[in-house]
């Protein structure tokens, strides 16, 4: 099974762990990823606010490259996913911009959680695991970009997504339901209005702790960064103890290839080691 | 025909039936009552919904002119108005309503529990059920989707789902009995059956099929282990003898069932032991000998005779059997092995599989060579191979056993279990191997076998036609070859008997359904019939043959109803089914297994069997286990009922299919379906209800603790563009308020309720007052805010709601429970119904109607009422139902009375000189009464009275056959009083009274004792005392009976015409309707022209010309021959009563003249008017006008209006304030409509609407949305916070208003339009003349705000239009049509029957104290000056008895409840009361 792969910019920087772990997982699970040969920025955060034409054009160029490779393109970044899906949706209804090149009518844009949470894939994942997650208590945090708007993201249950839940449960984690799965993380406000992000991430930590979680698992580099900001730059005052944060792909790696997973954890600001040793996973 | 039997459909049916039409009431459910029957209380009166709907249910149920068709769908319709043919699908109920008594024993035994839709799935109900306790029809019904695939796949059609369901409930004995009813060998088949049922099982689509066979084995083994020795009772001996040739599964099964039928079967078995292939073919490691022996012994216990070592043809001749027996069943099996035509097959060490197995089974096995090749790929081949392994091991060899077959592994016939177990045990499999030659050495000893590669086994048509590759040969070295490729029957015993003719190609030829052969009395089945097959098939033959033989012996039709032609269940919805592994079956370790013939597969534990059974998806819902049919004493259950189509001729059709709630799951953000404590308003209603899942105690779903803080969210999928539900659902504001009030009441005040809403839309009569009371008395808090988040608090499972507070800041508030007021929508099935009937729907799925014809659909002759026409509450639905009845009757008015056949009764017997002869019937009610109260004793006790001529206990007093029995006894013994001791007279008295009347006994000579509710139900734990009490109650009823006198009603003629008071819209519509139906009408109008308020309105919301409509209507009235109009006329006086009114009318037309009118019914349509505002500078500035003024300007001054720059509209001017608490209902829609009209004239004109709540209810919400889109500005004000101020400013008016978060808004408007309140006309004189009550607001007060929106407490007088309360044009027309329908129920009668159970005054005792005059709720008693005493008109008296109890002089007696009767009963109580608890 060959799938076009769009890493996106965060894969080269803040979210490098998601890219690496996704590639490693696909290799283990027998999914052949073919990188877009000359991918460009998806325009997230800024392009679509400034110019809808630019937002469409940037993504159309990427989608044309994907079309040359496969029937579907997958990305580990929710923002890229959202922008590409939006463009793909627009193109399906109104046609592609002239210079974009040929884009397949049946081209599908997917996020890796969709790829890994399919029923047959779950069986493969369970088989590929060399050890379980020993009942580690986690809450899953999806943010907004893979769930909304559902007519574009194709989210089956935008208010209560469960893709990460089923994967982690299949690997033996205890996934706790909590109300803030799709709560806002503050997005790019971390630069202009840091106090908003601080407030929102503290709300997330507080609720996660009340729900009884030992860690927060996400799939989004932006959410990850915003959650970890409390570790880097704690807000003064009576705030909950921040919890370790993981990408779900890292926890999958932890079950399949623990040594490689450990290499990722070293980049985290949040320290997962006390939890991992408590759960016998270090 | 009325389609949909909710409150709307019921009311329409009653009105039509009462005015002389035959009504077919079609309902898709099993009972009528619809949604209203699910409500706890109703607003604004807080009446119990069930208490007020119940009399209507009973009225519909008993009405001779209403035929209720439940479980029925409308398939289509053709024809024209007046002559429709409606095609119906009648789905089976599986319960005969004629026989069902509603005792409920069936539901007690039913193993299937499914979510109870009556309680919104919050508890369970059985597959056989009554929708709710008071349901009409009262009979039970089975929910059956169809036969489950497991049962269908089983050759014997065993009721797999049934015994699995019973096992899941731990009811093992009953489960086993369900199996045994068809299969006498549960333990045996629980081991050897290749279970086609499991192959068919739908659970396989989820994970793995249910282990039906293992469950069966568990049940069978459990009984054997417990030594269950219940010997079933056989039918009485018939003396018929049947010879059964062959003691295998087929023969033994036939023997078992023939013996059960009372015959004497004799089984002839050639082998030393019975069992056939079960004994000699299947190895003991699969089926232990003692298991088979035990199950066979069980047969002998009931008297089956088995003669072993008796070979027919040798030990007895077939001829002698034919001669000596009444019938013969040949089931000799296929015992001979088939060989292979290849070189080397002849000689030693080549054996046939079945023969080898038989030798082993009978301990005659030869010694085997070490290396064995078994040829064959079926189960027998595996039996041989695995047996060989054991024999060789026993011999002390190291076995080498090969199994070679033509087929590939996938094609092999052997079951997968066998292949896998064989592999574990060491069988070496060779697929696609075609045997060519058996090699032998010089001494003839087998040395090996040569195979060639088989390329394909079957040809394109699937026939056996193997092809080989001759060049690909292999040789397997071996010492033994055992061929297991098939069997044949040994039919030599038939030779020379004349029975050879029944053979064809070596098998018995016969009927595949009945198993008859060409020779009468000779039947055949099992392997000898079809060729070798599986045991369950042979058993099926035996089972069916036994039925045939029994029928043959009894001389009945052998073929009748034998086809297996079931309605199959569709695949169940598995989207929400969680995967769950089946239990692992324990098996002997392979190495250990081949050491002996010990059983390999072990039985499940009880826990495993129960858990496994719980995985069943219950595909058919009903499992067809048959327990209900066994439990039903009345024999009402018939599982063989089939669906059928029926065509009914009708004149017109009314659609009232009701609504469903929007699925709250579709709105994920409120967490419904995710958070436990978020529920819908209808679910909350069921929690409030005494018949609900919590018996009326409101508790949270998560922890069953009573909530202290509950919030409601309004407009969940109402006024919601995203979900294509732009309209307002109309009822939710009041519904939520009522729930909050009732919940607070239930909680003894210890509950705080909050309702989150956009506008509080309490538009109906008395609704605003209700909401005010809710706030003041019950502390209900209304918060005007949309909810932005709903979260569950981890741990406590409380619900945290985030909303924007009045100050614009987010607020977080935690509640124990959240209720979603989900919107109403037409049910999904309505779309299909509309398509079938060619009825147009609007974009939301409501029926398209015209504001001037609100009851007519787009299809002529098809009318509509209830929510299908638009979201509405119960009173409007009821008014609309009556209206629909009127318009539906118009087309078919000439047919009135033609389809209705009055029952003919024999003349009443003269009892004058008869002595007292009382008959007493005491009912067992199945076992409902009989299991507690000792019915025979009670009956005997009753019989000891000298004047009791007959007393007996009966199974069901109300059953049809007992009614006939009672009639016979009454006639035979000349009874003249009847007492029935059973259930409640409320439901059953009229039934027994009708029975009495049928045999010429006055219906009032009947007395009833309720020994079910009052004895067996409440004293269940003390049966002795219950019996004593029943005796006493029967004595009381007998004593009462002695006092009974025959009562008679009198027929009274009536005037078939009506008086309509008021010539506005309502009056004109009512008059026209009645006149169209042939009833003359006198219409009086106080002004000099017809039209009323209609004259001032110019356009409807959808742009239609009101004036054109008005002119046309006035013309119709003036031209109508049946209508006499008096203008400038008023009512002076009315005398008389229902059917015979006489009124005096004063007409001021130059000369004042007075005239008298006789009429049978009266309709009040006196209307209302726009009030004159005293505020907002009205009258002080020409710029300030009312909405009616604006209507005129919009018609006449369009140019001037289009030049305006600023227009302000102020709502609620004079409404909803201290002076008038009520809402004028029409103004918000009118403002939105007129604002839009101004915007259409001049888009640049600013229109600002100052409002308190925008009450554009129902589909009017579209107007509001359209106005906002057009740029109309809506600003809210509160009465006590920021009342707008208007001051004249030149030719303009300055409007000022403080707007929260906006500051002070000042508009200098050229036009300020006031929505002046609607106030009633002077209704005082009419109310005094007709003695009709008024509300505090001086509108007329209806008899019941919920179910009597048109009627008064006084019969024969009805109301319509604004005199009842503010309402728009379409609702006025609806109510006016409804008033006509109500009046027609009286006017259509030939005569009125009066009297009977009414109050009668004894003038000699009357002291003229006026107590009765004051007490009577209907104002009936008057003081007759001639007699000098009170007089109660029999035509008006309702028989309630209030006057009789109030009368201090005991001058008034309520007939049938006289003082003598009551006292005589109390005396009995005194006599016997001391010894009864």
């Amino acid at each position: 099974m060959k799938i076009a792969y769009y890493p996106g910019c965060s894969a080269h920087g803040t979210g490098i762990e998601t890219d690496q772990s996704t590639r490693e997982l696909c290799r283990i699970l027998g999914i052949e990823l073919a990188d877009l040969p000359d991918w460009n920025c998806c325009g997230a955060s800024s392009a679509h606010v400034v110019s809808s034409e630019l937002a469409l054009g940037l993504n159309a160029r990427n989608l044309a490259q994907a079309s040359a490779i496969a029937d579907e393109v997958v990305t580990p970044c929710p923002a890229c996913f959202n922008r590409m899906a939006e463009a793909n949706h627009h193109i399906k209804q109104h046609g592609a911009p002239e210079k974009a090149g040929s884009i397949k009518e049946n081209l599908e844009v997917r996020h890796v959680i969709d790829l890994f949470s399919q029923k047959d894939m779950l069986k493969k994942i369970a088989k590929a695991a060399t050890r379980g997650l020993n009942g580690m208590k986690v809450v899953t945090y999806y943010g907004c970009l893979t769930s909304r708007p559902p007519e574009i993201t194709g989210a089956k249950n935008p208010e209560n997504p469960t893709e990460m839940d089923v994967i982690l449960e299949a690997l033996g984690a205890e996934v706790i339901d909590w109300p803030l799965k799709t709560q806002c993380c503050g997005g790019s406000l971390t630069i202009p209005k840091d106090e908003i992000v601080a407030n929102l991430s503290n709300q997330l930590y507080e609720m996660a702790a009340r729900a009884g979680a030992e860690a927060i698992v996400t799939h989004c580099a932006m959410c990850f960064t915003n959650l970890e900001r409390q570790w880097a730059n704690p807000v003064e005052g009576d705030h909950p103890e921040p919890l370790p944060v993981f990408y779900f792909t890292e926890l999958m790696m932890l079950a399949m290839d623990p040594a490689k997973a450990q290499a990722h954890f070293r980049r985290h600001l949040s320290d997962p080691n006390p939890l991992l040793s408590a759960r016998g996973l270090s | 025909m009325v389609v949909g039997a909710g409150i709307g459909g019921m009311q329409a049916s009653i009105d039509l039936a009462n005015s002389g039409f035959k009504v077919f009431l079609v309902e898709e459910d099993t009972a009528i009552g619809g949604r209203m029957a699910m409500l706890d209380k109703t607003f604004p009166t807080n009446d119990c919904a069930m208490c007020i709907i119940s009399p209507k249910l009973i009225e519909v149920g008993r009405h001779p002119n209403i035929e209720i068709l439940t479980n029925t769908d409308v398939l289509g319709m053709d024809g024209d108005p007046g002559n429709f043919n409606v095609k119906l699908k009648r789905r089976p109920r599986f319960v005969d309503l004629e026989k069902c008594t509603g005792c409920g024993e069936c539901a007690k035994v039913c193993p299937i529990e499914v979510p109870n839709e009556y309680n919104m799935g919050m508890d369970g109900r059985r597959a056989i059920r009554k929708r709710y306790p008071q349901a009409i029809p009262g009979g039970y019904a089975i929910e059956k989707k169809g036969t489950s695939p497991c049962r269908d796949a089983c050759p014997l059609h065993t009721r797999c789902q049934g015994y699995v369901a019973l096992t899941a409930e731990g009811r093992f004995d009953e489960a086993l009995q369900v199996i045994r009813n068809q299969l006498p060998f549960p333990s045996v088949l629980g081991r050897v059956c290749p279970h086609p049922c499991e192959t068919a099982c739908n659970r396989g689509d989820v994970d793995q099929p249910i282990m039906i066979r293992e469950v069966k084995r568990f049940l069978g083994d459990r009984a054997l282990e417990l030594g269950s020795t219940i010997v079933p009772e056989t039918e009485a001996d018939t003396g018929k003898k049947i010879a059964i040739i062959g003691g295998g599964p087929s023969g033994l099964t036939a023997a078992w069932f023939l013996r059960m039928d009372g015959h004497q079967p004799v089984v002839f078995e050639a082998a030393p032991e019975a069992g056939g292939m079960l004994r000699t073919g299947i190895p003991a490691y699969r089926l232990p000998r003692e298991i088979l022996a035990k199950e066979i012994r069980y047969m002998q216990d009931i008297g089956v005779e088995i003669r072993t070592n008796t070979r027919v043809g040798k030990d007895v001749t077939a001829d002698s059997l034919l001669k000596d027996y009444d019938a013969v069943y040949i089931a000799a099996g296929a015992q001979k092995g088939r060989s292979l035509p290849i070189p080397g097959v002849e000689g030693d060490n080549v054996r046939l599989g079945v023969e080898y197995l038989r030798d082993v089974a009978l301990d005659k096995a030869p010694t085997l060579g070490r290396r064995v090749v078994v040829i064959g790929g079926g189960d027998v081949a595996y039996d041989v191979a695995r047996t060989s392994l054991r024999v060789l091991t026993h011999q002390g060899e190291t076995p080498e056993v090969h199994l070679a077959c033509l087929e590939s592994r996938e094609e092999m016939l052997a079951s997968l279990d066998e292949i896998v177990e064989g592999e574990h045990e060491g069988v070496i499999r060779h697929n696609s191997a075609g045997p060519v030659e058996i090699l032998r050495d010089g001494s003839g000893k087998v040395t090996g076998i040569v195979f060639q590669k088989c390329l394909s086994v079957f040809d394109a048509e699937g026939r056996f036609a193997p092809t080989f590759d001759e060049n690909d040969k292999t040789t397997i070295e071996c010492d033994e070859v055992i061929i297991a490729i098939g069997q044949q029957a040994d039919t030599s015993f038939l030779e020379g008997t004349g029975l050879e003719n029944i053979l064809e190609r070596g098998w018995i030829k016969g009927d595949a359904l009945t198993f008859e052969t060409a020779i009468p009395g000779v039947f055949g089945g099992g392997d000898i019939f079809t060729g070798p097959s599986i045991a369950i098939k042979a058993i099926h033959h035996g089972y069916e043959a036994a039925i045939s033989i029994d029928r043959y012996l009894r001389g009945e039709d052998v073929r009748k109803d034998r086809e297996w032609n079931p309605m199959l269940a569709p695949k169940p919805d598995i989207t929400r089914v969680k995967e769950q592994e089946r239990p692992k079956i324990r098996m002997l370790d392979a190495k250990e297994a081949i050491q002996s013939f010990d059983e390999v597969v072990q039985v499940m534990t009880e826990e495993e069997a129960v858990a496994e059974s719980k995985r069943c998806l219950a595909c058919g819902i009903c499992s067809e286990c048959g327990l209900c049919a066994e439990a039903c004493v009345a024999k009402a259950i018939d599982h063989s009922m089939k669906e059928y189509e029926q065509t009914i001729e009708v004149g017109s059709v009314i659609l009232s299919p009701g609504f469903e709630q929007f699925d709250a799951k579709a709105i994920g953000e409120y967490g419904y379906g995710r958070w436990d404590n978020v529920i819908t308003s209808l679910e909350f209603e069921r929690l409030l209800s005494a018949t609900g899942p919590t018996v009326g105690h409101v508790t949270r779903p998560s922890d069953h603790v009573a909530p202290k803080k509950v919030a409601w969210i309004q407009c969940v999928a109402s006024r919601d563009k995203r979900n294509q539900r732009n309209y307002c659902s109309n009822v939710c504001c009041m519904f939520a308020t009522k729930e909050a009030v009732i919940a607070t009441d239930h909680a003894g005040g210890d509950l705080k309720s909050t309702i989150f809403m956009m506008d509080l839309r309490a538009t109906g009569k008395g609704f605003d007052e209700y909401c005010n009371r809710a706030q003041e008395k019950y502390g209900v808090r209304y918060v005007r805010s949309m909810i932005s988040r709903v979260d569950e608090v981890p741990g406590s499972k409380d619900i945290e709601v985030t909303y924007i507070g009045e100050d614009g800041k987010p607020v977080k508030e935690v509640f124990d429970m959240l209720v979603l007021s989900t919107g109403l929508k037409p049910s999904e099935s309505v779309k299909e119904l509309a398509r079938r009937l060619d009825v147009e729907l609007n974009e939301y799925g409501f029926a398209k109607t015209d504001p001037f014809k609100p009851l007519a659909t787009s299809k002529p002759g098809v009318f509509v009422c209830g929510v299908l026409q638009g979201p509405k509450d119960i009173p409007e639905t009821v008014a609309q139902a009556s209206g629909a009845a009127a318009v539906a009757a118009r087309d078919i008015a000439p047919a009135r009375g033609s389809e209705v056949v009055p029952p003919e009764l024999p003349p009443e017997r003269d009892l004058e000189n008869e002595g007292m002869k009382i008959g007493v019937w005491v009912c067992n009610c199945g076992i409902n009464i009989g299991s507690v109260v000792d019915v025979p004793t009670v009956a005997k006790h009753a019989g000891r009275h000298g004047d009791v001529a007959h007393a007996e206990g009966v199974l069901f007093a109300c059953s049809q056959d007992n009614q006939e029995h009672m009639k016979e006894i009454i006639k035979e013994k000349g009874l003249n009083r009847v007492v029935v001791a059973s259930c409640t007279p409320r439901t059953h008295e009229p039934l027994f009274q009708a029975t009495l009347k049928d045999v010429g006994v006055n219906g009032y000579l009947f007395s009833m004792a309720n020994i079910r509710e009052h004895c067996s139900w409440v004293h269940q734990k003390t049966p002795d005392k219950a019996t004593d009490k029943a005796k006493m109650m029967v004595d009381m009823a007998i004593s009462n009976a002695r006092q009974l006198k025959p009562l008679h009603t009198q027929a009274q003629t009536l005037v078939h015409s009506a008086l309509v008071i008021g010539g506005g819209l309502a009056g004109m519509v009512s008059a026209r309707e009645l006149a169209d139906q042939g009833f003359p009408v006198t219409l009086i109008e106080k002004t000099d022209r017809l039209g009323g308020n209609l004259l001032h309105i110019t356009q409807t919301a959808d742009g239609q010309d009101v004036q054109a409509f008005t002119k046309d209507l006035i013309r119709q009235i003036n031209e109508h021959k049946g209508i006499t109009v008096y203008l400038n006329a008023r009512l002076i006086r009315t005398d008389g009563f229902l059917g015979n009114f006489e009124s005096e009318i004063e007409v001021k037309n130059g000369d004042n003249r007075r005239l008298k009118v006789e009429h049978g019914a009266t309709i009040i349509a006196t209307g209302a008017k726009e009030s004159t505002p005293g505020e907002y500078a009205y009258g002080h500035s020409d710029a300030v006008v009312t909405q009616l003024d604006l209507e005129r300007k919009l018609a006449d001054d369009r140019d001037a209006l289009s030049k305006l720059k600023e227009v302000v509209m102020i709502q609620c001017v004079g409404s909803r304030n201290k002076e008038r608490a009520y809402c004028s209902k029409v103004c918000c829609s009118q403002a939105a409509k007129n604002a839009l009209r101004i915007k259409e004239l001049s888009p640049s004109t600013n229109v600002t609407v100052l409002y308190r709540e925008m009450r554009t209810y129902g589909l009017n919400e579209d107007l509001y949305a359209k106005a906002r889109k057009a740029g109309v500005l809506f600003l809210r004000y509160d009465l006590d916070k920021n009342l707008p101020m208007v001051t004249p400013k030149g030719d303009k008016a300055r409007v000022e208003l403080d707007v929260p978060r906006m500051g002070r808004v000042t508009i200098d408007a050229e036009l300020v339009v006031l929505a002046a309140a609607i106030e009633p006309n002077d209704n005082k004189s009419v109310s005094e003349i007709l003695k009709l009550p008024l509300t505090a607001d001086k509108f007329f007060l209806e008899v019941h705000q919920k179910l009597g929106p048109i009627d008064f407490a006084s019969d024969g007088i009805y109301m319509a239009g604004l005199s009842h309360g503010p309402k728009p044009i379409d609702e006025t027309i609806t109510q006016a049509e409804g008033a006509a329908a109500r009046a027609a129920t009286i006017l259509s009668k030939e005569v009125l029957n009066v009297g009977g159970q009414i109050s009668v005054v004894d003038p000699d005792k009357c002291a003229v104290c006026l107590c009765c005059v004051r007490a009577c709720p209907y104002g009936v008693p008057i003081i007759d000056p001639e007699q000098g005493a009170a007089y109660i008109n029999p035509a008006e008296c309702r028989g309630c008895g209030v006057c009789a109890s109030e009368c201090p002089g005991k001058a008034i007696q309520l007939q049938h409840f006289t003082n003598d009767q009551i006292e005589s009963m109390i005396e009995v109580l005194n006599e016997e009361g001391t010894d009864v608890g």
Side-chain angles (χ1 to χ4, degrees), chain A residues 25-39:
Chain A
L25 286 167
C26 286
R27 191 178 41 74
I28 294 171
L29 297 168
I31 302 166
E32 189 189 337
L33 296 181
D35 282 31
L36 302 196
D38 182 27
W39 59 270

Side-chain angles (χ1 to χ4, degrees), chain A residues 73-138:
Chain A
V73 54
V74 68
T75 174
C77 173
C80 302
F81 163 74
N82 193 286
R83 294 324 307 157
M84 279 201 287
E86 156 79 43
N88 200 35
H89 183 76
H90 180 90
I91 289 165
K92 281 201 166 77
Q93 289 187 331
H94 306 287
E98 256 177 57
K99 294 183 201 159
S102 151
I103 296 171
K104 275 185 184 161
E105 270 182 39
N106 61 343
L107 183 71
E108 250 192 277
V109 178
R110 297 170 77 185
H111 185 268
V112 291
I113 50 168
D114 184 42
L115 190 66
F116 291 152
S117 60
Q118 299 300 316
K119 214 172 180 181
D120 48 342
M121 195 57 77
L122 286 175
K123 282 185 187 149
K124 274 192 193 172
I125 290 169
K127 241 185 191 168
T130 56
R131 67 169 181 199
L133 295 178
N134 296 356
M136 185 200 282
K137 289 184 177 176
V138 300

Side-chain angles (χ1 to χ4, degrees), chain A residues 119 159-160 177-181 183 207 210-211, chain B residues 206 579 668-669 674-675 789 791-794 800:
Chain A
K119 214 172 180 181
E159 300 297 336
N160 184 18
D177 195 11
W178 69 319
L180 301 187
K181 275 183 171 180
Q183 172 81 304
M207 189 60 93
R210 277 166 79 186
Chain B
V206 179
E579 285 184 33
E669 57 266 39
R674 183 178 180 200
W675 311 132
R789 272 198 84 88
D791 294 322
E792 182 182 83
V793 179
E800 185 180 78

Side-chain angles (χ1 to χ4, degrees), chain B residues 1092-1123:
Chain B
N1093 289 314
L1094 214 49
L1095 296 168
H1096 311 302
I1097 301 169
T1098 52
Q1099 209 179 63
T1100 62
D1102 61 345
Q1104 293 197 58
D1105 184 348
V1106 177
Q1107 287 315 306
F1109 165 75
T1110 309
K1111 262 183 213 146
D1112 187 52
L1113 182 57
I1114 294 172
R1115 183 189 54 76
Q1116 288 180 43
I1117 299 293
N1118 285 330
E1119 288 175 5
H1120 209 299
K1121 287 199 179 70
I1123 305 175

